[in-house]
Amino acid sequence: MPPKSLHPDTLAIHRGRAVDKSTGAVTAPIHMSSTFERDADGDYPRGFSYSRQANPTRHSLEQCLAALEKGSEAVCFASGSAATMAVLQLLQPGQHVLITRDAYHGTRHQLKTLFAHWGISHDLVDTTQVAAVEKAIRPETRLLWIETPSNPLLGISDLAALARLGQRHGLITVCDNTLATPVFQNPLDAGIDLVVHSTTKYLGGHSDLLGGVVIHGPDFSQAEQLREIQASGGAVPAPFDCWLLLRSLSSLGVRVRAQAASAADLARRLAAHPAVSAVFHPALPEHPGHELAKQQSVPDCGLLSFTVHGDRQAALDVVAGTRLFTRATSLGGVESLIEHRASIEGKDSPTPGNLIRLSIGLEHIDDLWQDLTEALEVISQP
């Protein structure tokens, strides 16, 4: 059966992996070598010369990730931030970027600091409003960076409409698909040019590795440049991290569906809690992007945010009051995390000061709910 006809859950287990012919091992070996033997004539007939340029374990991982996102090639990096840097390095000085207003703060920080020195400007825009995006396009605009669902407000952007807009204006369109994962959303199918993941998050799923990936379709004109940035820049993941990620991808579907189901249930419970003023999760019918999320994917996500009645300190008190949720920065792992997001993002954060972000793991939902309700008791009811 051709690989593209297989279900993503099957591809995650089999694509890029095969039984080791020399030993019969079902689990693929880790190729830790930094360099590879050449033949007497100087050629590398086995396709590998130096691990910065290519490594067998990384090659297997890239095959699997490309298949999951229905792309032609995946280019792996040492972190999600390194993957983002690689995409932005496709730009030239004087060019302009539009980016989702509440996109991951690390991406916004790169544009504000590192790439500003390269003469690349940017504007934050509400990508849930296609007309607002089109209005913000300048003659020098070259790239549209979309994050959907966005982090931390879980905004939903119309990928197909934004892809068409990008094509009309000659823009590179990029979707950060970290929150949705390829289980729920395939941006390349909607016409988006590039998909980016922090593989540290849901794809890794166990809070034990760092990684990032950029995936493109067959028509992406700067594919060779992207691979050159990987090979010459050298920000590649170690073979062991690639092996860990391959291991984790095998359980991706069952993990993220369970996490998303628990997050949606907790979102509904929080929406009815008297200490909570608003809940942000696309599974809620009152979410402004609920219907669009149903159309272009599944309105599921293992991340949710909510605001409490009160100020910044009230939110900090709730975060400090949990026992089962771990106070930590990240998302997508099997353990549930809680975070006062504005204090992490810094003084220029657009995130409300009374907002709390939750990454839901695989604990039993009743235990998570009890932990939250006990922590919310610190807030005086309105």
Side-chain angles (χ1 to χ4, degrees):
M1 192 182 326
K4 284 194 174 182
S5 66
L6 297 176
H7 190 279
D9 289 359
T10 305
L11 288 172
I13 294 170
H14 290 280
R15 186 63 167 150
R17 281 165 281 190
V19 173
D20 183 58
K21 298 302 182 183
S22 62
T23 64
V26 173
T27 300
I30 308 172
H31 294 274
M32 297 294 289
S33 184
S34 62
T35 192
F36 300 84
E37 183 184 37
R38 65 172 64 192
D39 281 357
D41 62 3
D43 287 341
Y44 292 96
R46 291 168 290 276
F48 299 97
S49 60
Y50 194 68
S51 270
R52 174 169 50 77
Q53 296 175 320
N55 174 278
T57 308
R58 189 169 83 235
H59 179 67
S60 295
L61 173 62
E62 290 176 337
Q63 285 186 310
C64 187
L65 291 170
L68 286 173
E69 278 291 8
K70 303 181 183 180
S72 61
E73 185 181 29
V75 185
C76 283
F77 294 90
S79 68
S81 294
T84 299
M85 285 279 291
V87 172
L88 295 177
Q89 286 177 74
L90 297 174
L91 300 174
Q92 298 295 323
Q95 293 181 333
H96 174 249
V97 176
L98 291 174
I99 179 172
T100 299
R101 187 179 302 280
D102 64 316
Y104 169 56
H105 84 104
T107 306
R108 291 186 277 113
H109 183 73
Q110 285 186 4
L111 284 165
K112 184 178 179 180
T113 56
L114 302 179
F115 286 91
H117 296 304
W118 290 12
I120 294 170
S121 60
H122 76 282
D123 282 306
L124 307 180
V125 63
D126 182 1
T127 55
T128 67
Q129 303 296 319
V130 177
V133 176
E134 185 158 29
K135 185 177 180 180
I137 294 174
R138 305 178 188 172
E140 65 270 25
T141 304
R142 175 62 176 142
L143 186 143
L144 172 59
W145 187 284
I146 310 153
E147 189 173 297
T148 181
S150 61
N151 177 11
L153 297 179
L154 285 299
I156 304 296
S157 299
D158 189 331
L159 289 174
L162 291 171
R164 291 192 296 270
L165 179 66
Q167 290 164 5
R168 289 200 304 271
H169 291 272
L171 309 182
I172 299 172
T173 51
V174 186
C175 179
D176 185 333
N177 204 31
T178 299
L179 295 194
T181 80
V183 173
F184 296 132
Q185 181 171 267
N186 290 118
L188 296 179
D189 276 352
I192 296 296
D193 295 312
L194 297 174
V195 174
V196 175
H197 285 271
S198 170
T199 57
T200 308
K201 310 303 193 298
Y202 288 104
L203 300 187
H206 294 78
S207 303
D208 57 6
L209 63 88
L210 291 176
V213 66
V214 184
I215 302 160
H216 63 79
D219 299 325
F220 185 64
S221 63
Q222 293 175 266
E224 289 187 14
Q225 185 179 349
L226 193 62
R227 185 63 79 178
E228 179 64 23
I229 291 169
Q230 180 202 44
S232 296
V236 294
F240 183 59
D241 285 345
C242 293
W243 184 89
L244 281 176
L245 184 50
L246 271 170
R247 171 218 61 182
S248 297
L249 289 175
S250 299
S251 64
L252 175 66
V254 293
R255 281 190 290 105
V256 299
R257 290 187 191 98
Q259 289 168 298
S262 292
D265 195 344
L266 285 173
R268 288 187 284 270
R269 297 188 193 193
L270 284 166
H273 196 285
V276 174
S277 56
V279 180
F280 306 94
H281 193 279
L284 298 177
E286 59 268 29
H287 188 286
H290 177 73
E291 290 302 321
L292 176 59
K294 288 199 300 183
Q295 292 170 21
Q296 68 183 20
S297 61
V298 178
D300 286 337
C301 177
L303 191 82
L304 72 130
S305 298
F306 65 97
T307 53
V308 296
H309 290 291
D311 57 9
R312 175 190 181 94
Q313 189 57 51
L316 285 167
D317 290 343
V318 172
V319 171
T322 58
R323 294 176 294 107
L324 193 56
F325 281 85
T326 300
R327 296 184 298 277
T329 294
S330 196
L331 56 96
V334 296
E335 64 289 310
S336 293
L337 306 180
I338 189 168
E339 186 174 61
H340 180 254
R341 192 63 193 164
S343 63
I344 299 299
E345 294 181 353
K347 63 179 182 178
D348 296 328
S349 170
T351 302
N354 63 340
L355 182 139
I356 296 169
R357 192 186 79 174
L358 303 177
S359 172
I360 306 305
L362 293 177
E363 302 93 341
H364 195 280
I365 189 169
D366 290 340
D367 295 328
L368 295 175
W369 179 240
Q370 181 177 350
D371 194 32
L372 285 173
T373 53
E374 290 176 358
L376 286 166
E377 290 177 0
V378 301
I379 296 178
S380 301
Q381 306 305 318

